Amino acid sequence: MDTVDTLLAHAYGPWPGPWILLIPLAWAAVILLVVLILRRTVWRGGHGPGGRWHGGSPLATLGDRYARGEIDADEYRARRAVLTEADKRTGGAR
């Protein structure tokens, strides 16, 4: 039995064998997993569920929606009139 154990232990000579490649692959998988988790949570930095920035003024958001084609020109004008009227009533304070 000692002979078989010795042969198996030294099957690849002084080299560790092909199993040594699994260590860098495992570390690469761990690093990739950490980067993916950080990207989906912490590094989003103000971006919402669709990857869009959820900040700025309501007029800017309205302009973005119009530029993307989500609303037509009539709806854009109507909503802009409501927003600017509300802005005038409050004196521009938000």
Side-chain angles (χ1 to χ4, degrees):
M1 195 68 157
D2 286 333
T3 311
V4 173
D5 290 338
T6 305
L7 286 174
L8 288 176
H10 299 291
Y12 297 104
W15 304 104
W19 300 107
I20 196 71
L21 296 176
L22 291 179
I23 294 171
L25 289 177
W27 277 111
V30 167
I31 291 170
L32 179 67
L33 185 65
V34 167
V35 167
L36 288 175
I37 289 172
L38 288 174
R39 223 177 133 199
R40 293 192 53 93
T41 57
V42 177
W43 290 345
R44 188 171 274 180
H47 287 75
R52 298 181 188 138
W53 176 255
H54 285 268
S57 72
L59 284 174
T61 303
L62 183 65
D64 289 342
R65 289 188 62 201
Y66 179 64
R68 286 193 301 266
E70 294 177 8
I71 57 176
D72 62 0
D74 294 331
E75 186 176 357
Y76 171 76
R77 286 186 198 104
R79 290 181 182 222
R80 181 175 166 83
V82 169
L83 287 174
T84 54
E85 182 63 33
D87 194 33
K88 287 177 188 176
R89 278 184 288 167
T90 61
R94 290 195 176 115

